[in-house]
Amino acid sequence: VNILVLDTEGYSNTGGQTSKSTPLGAVTKFSAGGKQSAKKNLADIAFSYGNVYVAQVAYGARDMQTLKTFLEAESYPGTSLIIAYAPCIAHGVDLTDNHQRQQLAVKSGHWTLFRYDPRRQRENKKPMQLDSKPPSLPYEDFLQGERRFSTLRHRDPEHAKQLAQMGQEEVTARYQHFASLAE
């Protein structure tokens, strides 16, 4: 079973409603004050099974990592799950800049690239391969380019600043979590 999740980080087919995949601080339908909780980590749920190939990709940021991931997932003899970052119009971005948005998401740590292949354990290797470098762009720089985050900054700058700081802490912790799995 091969599964591809195009993660728009919300319910895009309903006009941009909040979902478990919506990131902290995003303004969407039903989260007018910015989402107050962290995004659910679908990858961690899949890791917990121990026998599922799991990966995150952003083809606009690293096309060769995406290709390698699809080839590995296809060759995996069990369930494979690829979670692909999918900017959408509900983010309030010009989708002609889709590749740039994906690059910023990866550089800021908003989206971490990795491959988790249980077959590697047979070779006494860690199943997790971290394909992202540590975040090199302040998270705030990523947030500024999307209306789903900038809307709150105009309405309630203090609250937006607080959520952005919490978001920075979250992306740092998430990267460290994935890095610890790869060590």
Side-chain angles (χ1 to χ4, degrees), residues 78-96:
T79 302
S80 62
L81 170 65
I82 299 173
I83 308 164
Y85 186 62
C88 80
I89 198 158
H91 294 187
V93 298
D94 182 348
L95 292 177
T96 60

Side-chain angles (χ1 to χ4, degrees), residues 12 24 47 54 63 68 121 148 159-160:
S12 300
L24 177 75
F47 293 155
V54 185
D63 58 352
K68 186 173 190 167
Q121 291 174 320
R148 64 183 175 157
H159 186 55

